[in-house]
Each structure stands twice: as C-alpha cells, then as structure tokens.
Amino acid sequence: IHDKFKTFNKAYFVACGTAYHACLSGANILERLTGIPTFTQVASEFRYCDPIVDEKTMCVFVSQSGETADTMAALRLAKEKGCTTIAVANVLGSSISREADHTIYTCAGPEIAVASTKAYTTQLIVLLLLGMYISQALGNENEDYKRIIEGIASLPQHIENILKDEKTFEHYASYLKDLKDAYYIGRSLDYATVLEGALKLKEVSYVHADAYIAGELKHGPIALIENDITVISIMTDKNLVEKTVSNIQEVITRGAKTLVVTNQNIDDKMFDTVIHIPETNTFISPILSVIPLQLLAYYISKEKGLDVDKPRNLAKS
Ligand code: BG6
C-alpha cells in the first residue's frame, strides 16, 4: 500500500459511537499532516448517503469489535465503489479485518465493559501513527515526528499519574451526582474529545450531556445557559486557548459553573474547577485529555450506584 498513498485524492473515516469520535481526531490529524482532503461520517449515514468515493479514495473503518453491522455495510459499499479500505480493529480475525484490504490491530486486549475506554485510547494512537506513516510515505519529513513518538512512549506514565488522582475525581463526582444536564465545549481536536466525554456521561451516568464546538455556542446553545448549569471545557491547543476562554467567559456571565481540563497556563481563578494535565504535542493531547472526562463519568456513575460496565439498553457486538 506504501506506493498507493500518492494516488489518493480523498480520505474517509467511518465508524460508530466511540470509534467515530476517534475518527474525528484521526481525520483532523491526517488532513493536517498530509494535505489530503479528509472526511468523517458515521457508518449508518455513510451507507445510505451515496458517498462520492472511488478508486482514488482511501477509506478507514474503525471498530473495536470489528463486527458492528453499520460499519461492515459501509465497508462493503466502499469496496464496491473501488476504494482502498483500511480497517482499524481490536478483535483479531473479526469480520472487518477479513474483508478490508488492509488491517491495523489496536491490540487493546479483550473488551469487557461497554464504555470502550481502552479501545478509544488505542484507536487514537493507531490513527495518529497512521497519519504520520502516510505523511512520511508522501515524502513529508517533519521534525516533530520524533518528538511525537517520544510523547507516545511517555503516555503510560502520564496516564498513571492522572489515574492516581482518584480522590479528586471522587470529590467532583460527589457534588456532580445530581447533575441533570452538562454541556461540553471544545475546538478542533478538543471538540472530538468533548463529544466522547459527553457520550461517556450519557452512557454510564445517565446524565443528559451535549457537546458543542465552542465557537458555535453563541449561535444557539447559549440560550440553554442559566444559573448553575455545568459547562465542561477542554483546552489543549495554545493557538485556540484565548478563543475558548472568551467562550467560557460568556457562560460564566450567565451564571454557569465551569470545569476546565487543560494543559495550558490559564488563570485558574476564573473558573470553578481546573484539572491540569501534562503538556504534550497537540496531536497527542486527545489521548490524555479524555481521561479526566472518562473518570468523571465513571465516578458519577459509581456515586449513583449504577453498573458502570453494563449501562442499560447498550450492547456490545
Ligand atoms: C455501540 C457501543 O453499540 O457500538 C459503543 O455501545 C461502541 O460502545 C459502538 O463505541 C461501536 O462499536 P465498535 O465495536 O464498532 O467499535
């Protein structure tokens, strides 16, 4: 496939649920590293929207189980249309890996809980590596690649440090347990992460949660903000911090309670709660910034006495 990368004029990333959120990050990174115009689509839409794809399109299908029906149907459609298909799957020998032209395994081990957290971490890493690999195959040498690889190698230590902070998250959960609604905001890669954070809160804590692109707040969702509404933000891109801070100021003015996850130097006093995570390359930051959101959902679920691993109405393929 190495020589084929030069022939692609378009890339599609397709998946469902959590895997789709990993696609949003992976697609953003691929486009920025390679300049290949890149699109994302949920599988249940892709299969019915008559996508404009052909033999010059690379289609990446991401699935933990490798069996999700919509993702499989989307893969078959892409193949029919002559696309080159790459599966990113966790389960060895799964249907998706048997039918795609190429497969990359995430090797996250057996997935027991529905929430798919370790699958998400590994999907993000594989999609980042894929983006760098294709970029290099196209002849782009980037000084940052070595630092990104070093950053990936230091992830276990950083993740362990965040996980150790159990008491802090238990404390947040104890005062957020009666939460009825939560709004999440972020820009660029942080937007994919807030979508995933909101999904976790819905899935395992049964709290209504919505995620918005921070810049879109003023175009509608701001109407929902009133006294004591909780707004959770992620800010990991130094070029976008100022913009997002100004969005958060707008919700503070309307009485919202704010929780911020960041790896940037911000004025903590402005917000109700700030969770600091280690600073890393922008492309690696989604792997770390999602963890506080997963922990928040986990501890709120526990505080409410729910079964975190087996949310109602959800099943694994
Ligand atoms: C849903 C699960 O049914 O399928 C989600 O509840 C999961 O947790 C989604 O993200 C996609 O699953 P898979 O196996 O294709 O990644």
Side-chain angles (χ1 to χ4, degrees), residues 15-20 62-69 71 111 113-116 119 123 196 199-200 203 314-317:
C16 300
T18 289
Y20 172 69
V62 182
S63 174
Q64 186 287 129
S65 61
E67 304 294 343
T68 301
T71 310
E111 175 109 324
V114 164
S116 216
Q123 287 160 354
E196 178 60 9
L199 180 64
K200 288 310 93 163
E203 279 181 336
L314 294 174
K316 291 225 81 85
S317 287

Side-chain angles (χ1 to χ4, degrees), residues 236-251:
T236 63
D237 186 334
K238 65 173 179 308
N239 299 318
L240 301 172
V241 168
E242 213 178 298
K243 285 276 172 196
T244 308
V245 165
S246 103
N247 298 131
I248 304 174
Q249 270 164 332
E250 287 169 30
V251 302

Side-chain angles (χ1 to χ4, degrees), residues 52-240:
I52 303 173
V53 292
D54 55 28
E55 57 289 337
K56 287 193 175 151
T57 312
M58 175 184 96
C59 284
V60 180
F61 296 90
V62 182
S63 174
Q64 186 287 129
S65 61
E67 304 294 343
T68 301
D70 283 323
T71 310
M72 283 306 301
L75 165 69
R76 287 174 187 146
L77 176 67
K79 286 190 75 173
E80 261 168 50
K81 288 181 174 266
C83 309
T84 297
T85 55
I86 301 177
V88 173
N90 190 42
V91 177
L92 304 190
S94 51
S95 303
I96 203 172
S97 66
R98 282 185 272 114
E99 293 196 29
D101 299 318
H102 308 273
T103 298
I104 310 172
Y105 286 114
T106 46
C107 300
E111 175 109 324
I112 312 296
V114 164
S116 216
T117 47
K118 67 180 180 178
Y120 187 65
T121 301
T122 52
Q123 287 160 354
L124 290 176
I125 295 171
V126 164
L127 294 178
L128 169 58
L129 292 173
L130 179 67
M132 290 198 293
Y133 182 78
I134 297 176
S135 173
Q136 281 176 320
L138 293 175
N140 304 323
E141 270 314 318
N142 189 323
E143 292 284 295
D144 282 346
Y145 289 175
K146 200 167 161 276
R147 275 193 290 277
I148 294 176
I149 298 293
E150 285 164 6
I152 293 174
S154 59
L155 279 171
Q157 191 55 52
H158 288 321
I159 293 174
E160 236 168 74
N161 290 341
I162 302 175
L163 293 175
K164 261 190 221 148
D165 215 1
E166 202 177 317
K167 287 273 163 295
T168 310
F169 288 97
E170 274 174 353
H171 168 69
Y172 298 149
S174 67
Y175 74 80
L176 289 174
K177 70 175 191 309
D178 298 320
L179 204 61
K180 295 277 176 289
D181 307 283
Y183 297 103
Y184 290 69
I185 57 170
R187 287 167 183 260
S188 189
L189 287 170
D190 293 334
Y191 174 59
T193 311
V194 290
L195 279 171
E196 178 60 9
L199 180 64
K200 288 310 93 163
L201 196 69
K202 283 182 268 207
E203 279 181 336
V204 306
S205 321
Y206 310 152
V207 176
H208 165 252
D210 268 331
Y212 299 107
I213 293 171
E216 275 293 290
L217 258 187
K218 61 176 173 294
H219 299 296
I222 193 109
L224 295 165
I225 307 298
E226 54 184 6
N227 251 355
D228 293 335
I229 283 284
T230 298
V231 176
I232 299 175
S233 325
I234 299 197
M235 295 187 285
T236 63
D237 186 334
K238 65 173 179 308
N239 299 318
L240 301 172

